[in-house]
Amino acid sequence: MSSYAEAFRQSVEDPEGFWLEAARAVDWVNTPTRALDGSQAPSFRWFPDGTLNTSFNALDRHVQAGHGDRPALIWDSAMVPAKRTYTYAELLDEVAAFAGVLRDQGVVAGDRVVIYMPMIPEAAIAMLACARIGAVHSVVFGGFAAKELATRIDDARPVLLVTASGGLEPGRTVEYLPMVEQALSLSQTPPHTVIVKNREMIPGSAADYKASVATWFDWDELTADADPAGPVTVAATDPLYILYTSGTTGKPKGVVRDNGGHAVALTWSMRNIYDISPGDVWWTASDVGWVVGHSYIVYGPLLIGATTVMYEGKPVGTPDAGAFWRIINENSVVALFTAPTAIRAVRKADPEAKELENYDISSLRTLFAAGERLDPDTYEWATKVLDRPVVDHWWQTETGWAIAANLRGLDPMPIKAGSPTVPVPGYRVDIVDAEGKPVEAGTEGNIVIALPLPPGTLTGLWQDEDRYRRSYLETFPGYYLTGDSGYVDEDGYVFVLGRSDDVINVAGHRLSTGSMEAVVASHPAVAECAVVGIRDELKGQRPSGYVVLKSGVEIDPETLRQELVAMVREQIGAVATFRDVTVVQALPKTRSGKILRKTMRQIADHEQYTVPSTIEDPSVLEALEQQLRG
Ligand code: COA
Ligand code: AMP
């Protein structure tokens, strides 16, 4: 095992050498001779003269190396319930067939394909099929409603959309096709083709949409007689996917990931961060709609020839709090990666972890957590009941893989509760104050990363270089702005305390309060509003809305609440879990009219706060405190 300190030092002192060496673990068509192209700084490109195909690396090469019979993907649905295992040879066949379908539908390299699917194998197959022909996929999380889907369609301008008749949520089915049809009609640039994977238990099929603006096809019919497509060679710098994530405004940011840097970074991470080897069974309990699902349900484990588990279900209630332990037991999972909120849900349902007695989880070496801070209480509980390392690591959609972690494949370091440990090789993390000056150890500030970021991180925002630079690169020149605040302690451990912007994190889902405010403000009774993320025992945060009524309007607060809840659900999606509405007399603002959201959150969370010197009218804050704290 080599040392973390040595790997970090090399990555900083000789990034060319470090990443060219890491690149040797990937199969290239043209092996790169250079690692970094800094000619467009502060934007960077990795492996500028390399060419490859990501699906070849995830599938073909393992089959060619004689591992075709090894399980590649184990799908376990606690919802149907059902289970299916695909070997590498089988998954390759499915991917090549669907890639042939896409090609026959006229999709060519560089075209965008939107994937709006539940947690079924076809979601991963569609992603890998896009990668195979050089098309750029953009997966939209199934919990988003039609309007959010339309917004992403209008930005990505896909030629084709892949979906399924629907998803299964506890106690209900989520019918996707009416939402897709609505999104197409809302969209300025709808795709010309829709392909539907029919799930028998959920009504709706392609045949129901003959009058649509797009032509609809059935997945099974098209794949039945498709000629398989081979891997198309692309430049390492070509886009592999766009993944939309919440920014501070209602307009999501289209994070662009390349092919080469992504393959190198994820391959490196599987071995060095997660200590996973070919053939190991690895399980990420997330959703393909999020970056965690992209990197560690689909690409990471397949790139190294491991077995990935794809789970359709919840940590609790499907059917009970033993669901996670059952899957580990049945599949001999060596590492589980999930969100702290899922651990809290299991703990709430089964505080003594009695369900563990029903299963053999001896295969499990490590529990990884990310998506939100692993709070010390949850960390202690999980460590106690599992008696194994519980490893927090910190990253974001933009970076695509961990910024800070306890690197289990190098020399693991002592864990400090509440910290994701140390910066990962390639990431030069700094803490700076509002003026951009580095602060002393232990002092809280903005967490930034010195440029260039390592391979695998975003290459920009989809067709919006200007927003990319404004959002991430211009605040502190020379640095990438993470949007998180925190500190680094004397031992070099990073502590991430929360967002410094208006992005909130609900059950590990990143959401924009701005988009919720836009919905709430469109209610005819609402003059103005603010949505802030307040503390929630289970989900970490939850959105809480504060509304000022138009003068003269009289409306029962509960009626208003119900209407606003329905509007947010209809326009953003159930995943927003918007339930709290409080009618207030006025919103506290600065003299320049900016709503003091942070102060409002502190009041709602019963935290100490200082009255900002820029406040317009302190009496508004006093009235709010009186109303919320009594
Ligand atoms: N499609 C459609 N609807 C979805 C959905 C999807 N893919 N995912 C969630 N929803 C809906 C849920 O059905 C629920 O709807 P409801 O209001 O009708 O009940 C709503 O969105 C909120 O869902 P969820 O956040 O899952 O909350 P929950 O109360 O049902 O479950 C947890 C709570 C903690 C069990 C759950 O949030 C969880 O498993 N979290 C882990 C999240 C995670 O893995 N995040 C990935 C980041 S690494
Ligand atoms: P997302 O882009 O959806 O992955 O969300 C990224 C954001 O989630 C980060 O900017 C953090 O605010 C938060 N986050 C993710 N993982 C962690 C972690 N391990 N500790 C603290 N915050 C985290």
Side-chain angles (χ1 to χ4, degrees):
M1 209 175 263
S2 61
S3 90
Y4 159 73
E6 178 56 18
F8 188 83
R9 191 190 59 72
Q10 272 180 21
S11 77
V12 169
E13 290 178 4
D14 178 21
E16 279 286 312
F18 184 86
W19 290 113
L20 281 176
E21 174 62 28
R24 287 156 51 93
V26 166
D27 269 18
W28 300 88
V29 178
N30 278 342
T31 305
T33 58
R34 289 163 58 210
L36 184 67
D37 172 6
S39 60
Q40 307 292 318
S43 294
F44 295 89
R45 295 288 177 270
W46 285 95
F47 310 112
D49 59 352
T51 62
L52 76 167
N53 180 278
T54 296
S55 98
F56 177 88
N57 273 278
L59 299 167
D60 307 57
R61 69 164 167 164
H62 306 310
V63 176
Q64 288 176 12
H67 306 302
D69 292 337
R70 181 187 292 165
L73 187 147
I74 300 171
W75 178 63
D76 186 308
S77 173
M79 308 301 303
V80 175
K83 196 167 167 175
R84 177 162 177 194
T85 299
Y86 295 75
T87 64
Y88 268 95
E90 287 165 344
L91 192 61
L92 172 57
D93 284 350
E94 300 269 348
V95 168
F98 195 65
V101 166
L102 294 176
R103 180 202 54 206
D104 294 348
Q105 291 298 323
V107 181
V108 296
D111 282 348
R112 273 80 58 212
V113 172
V114 162
I115 299 173
Y116 183 60
M117 294 187 105
M119 284 288 285
I120 55 175
E122 286 76 8
I125 291 167
M127 292 164 75
L128 291 159
C130 289
R132 195 161 189 82
I133 60 167
V136 181
H137 62 68
S138 186
V139 182
V140 178
F141 177 60
F144 281 126
K147 196 156 168 277
E148 292 289 321
L149 177 58
T151 305
R152 288 156 175 77
I153 289 173
D154 280 340
D155 196 70
R157 298 177 172 236
V159 297
L160 188 144
L161 184 147
V162 189
T163 188
S165 52
L168 299 166
E169 284 292 302
R172 70 188 172 105
T173 54
V174 185
E175 290 181 35
Y176 281 20
L177 304 192
M179 283 193 280
V180 170
E181 177 61 356
Q182 196 190 343
L184 298 188
S185 64
L186 289 171
S187 166
Q188 307 295 312
T189 56
H192 55 64
T193 307
V194 174
I195 299 178
V196 181
K197 172 66 194 174
N198 205 354
R199 303 185 81 187
E200 280 159 23
M201 70 292 286
I202 301 169
S205 72
D208 302 335
Y209 292 87
K210 292 211 170 74
S212 172
V213 293
T215 311
W216 294 50
F217 294 100
D218 179 77
W219 172 296
D220 294 316
E221 282 173 18
L222 291 183
T223 44
D225 41 34
D227 279 336
V232 169
T233 301
V234 299
T237 52
D238 281 341
L240 170 68
Y241 69 75
I242 307 167
L243 180 58
Y244 287 89
T245 189
S246 300
T248 46
T249 67
K251 188 175 184 286
K253 291 170 166 164
V255 167
V256 180
R257 192 90 55 219
D258 64 7
N259 275 273
H262 175 255
V264 172
L266 291 192
T267 302
W268 191 90
S269 75
M270 289 304 295
R271 296 171 200 275
N272 294 287
I273 297 180
Y274 301 106
D275 192 23
I276 296 297
S277 304
D280 281 348
V281 183
W282 157 265
W283 175 26
T284 299
S286 176
D287 189 288
V288 287
W290 306 113
V291 71
V292 172
H294 280 61
S295 295
Y296 295 113
I297 294 175
V298 182
Y299 289 110
L302 297 179
L303 282 167
I304 64 147
T307 300
T308 186
V309 177
M310 183 181 206
Y311 174 58
E312 184 183 37
K314 303 271 172 177
V316 294
T318 58
D320 53 38
F324 275 15
W325 320 139
R326 171 184 71 77
I327 292 184
I328 294 169
N329 183 165
E330 285 178 11
N331 302 295
S332 302
V333 170
V334 305
L336 165 62
F337 175 175
T338 190
T341 187
I343 308 171
R344 288 196 296 271
V346 172
R347 178 187 182 178
K348 194 168 169 218
D350 182 17
E352 307 298 325
K354 288 207 164 45
E355 287 287 351
L356 270 174
E357 290 162 17
N358 302 324
Y359 302 98
D360 173 4
I361 64 156
S362 54
S363 59
L364 188 75
R365 295 198 299 253
T366 323
L367 173 66
F368 292 97
E372 53 171 316
R373 176 169 182 257
L374 177 61
D375 57 282
D377 204 29
T378 305
Y379 164 77
E380 302 290 356
W381 181 83
T383 306
K384 188 176 91 199
V385 302
L386 293 175
D387 193 21
R388 291 166 171 73
V390 175
V391 178
D392 186 12
H393 58 318
W394 165 62
W395 49 298
Q396 44 186 209
T397 306
E398 290 85 345
T399 63
W401 62 294
I403 309 165
N406 196 309
L407 292 102
R408 310 307 293 175
L410 294 174
D411 48 353
M413 303 175 77
I415 292 173
K416 290 191 190 184
S419 166
T421 315
V422 288
V424 168
Y427 289 97
R428 288 170 295 149
V429 173
D430 266 322
I431 311 289
V432 297
D433 64 16
E435 275 74 51
K437 292 203 191 69
V439 299
E440 285 183 4
T443 307
E444 187 181 342
N446 300 289
I447 316 184
V448 294
I449 306 166
L451 295 172
L453 297 179
T457 52
L458 81 173
T459 57
L461 296 181
W462 180 246
Q463 298 202 325
D464 202 346
E465 181 70 11
D466 188 47
R467 188 177 184 198
Y468 169 54
R469 293 191 178 202
R470 261 188 294 116
S471 305
Y472 301 103
L473 308 180
E474 284 176 2
T475 313
F476 302 115
Y479 287 115
Y480 164 86
L481 180 70
T482 65
D484 284 310
S485 61
Y487 64 94
V488 175
D489 75 5
E490 306 259 320
D491 301 324
Y493 279 55
V494 179
F495 287 77
V496 183
L497 300 176
R499 297 287 304 188
S500 49
D501 56 16
D502 297 326
V503 167
I504 61 171
N505 198 312
V506 182
H509 305 140
R510 175 166 159 185
L511 300 168
S512 145
T513 54
S515 62
M516 292 187 226
E517 286 178 2
V519 176
V520 173
S522 69
H523 189 287
V526 173
E528 58 176 348
C529 68
V531 176
V532 301
I534 64 168
R535 204 177 299 124
D536 183 271
E537 216 178 279
L538 175 65
K539 300 193 175 184
Q541 282 187 307
R542 67 171 191 276
S544 186
Y546 300 87
V547 302
V548 179
L549 297 180
K550 285 183 181 155
S551 69
V553 168
E554 295 219 353
I555 184 167
D556 167 47
E558 179 53 22
T559 307
L560 176 68
R561 190 189 74 81
Q562 286 176 12
E563 289 176 6
L564 292 174
V565 167
M567 283 169 69
V568 172
R569 193 178 172 95
E570 161 70 23
Q571 294 184 41
I572 296 179
V575 67
T577 48
F578 179 80
R579 311 231 199 288
D580 305 351
V581 175
T582 309
V583 176
V584 295
Q585 287 304 314
L587 297 172
K589 290 183 188 161
T590 62
R591 283 189 287 276
S592 59
K594 197 171 173 291
I595 297 171
L596 292 165
R597 292 185 182 77
K598 183 176 172 195
T599 318
M600 292 180 70
R601 181 189 63 68
Q602 288 170 319
I603 292 177
D605 281 343
H606 292 259
E607 280 177 14
Q608 284 206 329
Y609 67 95
T610 39
V611 179
S613 57
T614 53
I615 193 161
E616 183 190 32
D617 180 357
S619 71
V620 174
L621 212 53
E622 285 157 24
L624 189 74
E625 172 157 359
Q626 179 64 26
Q627 181 178 353
L628 299 185
R629 294 189 179 176

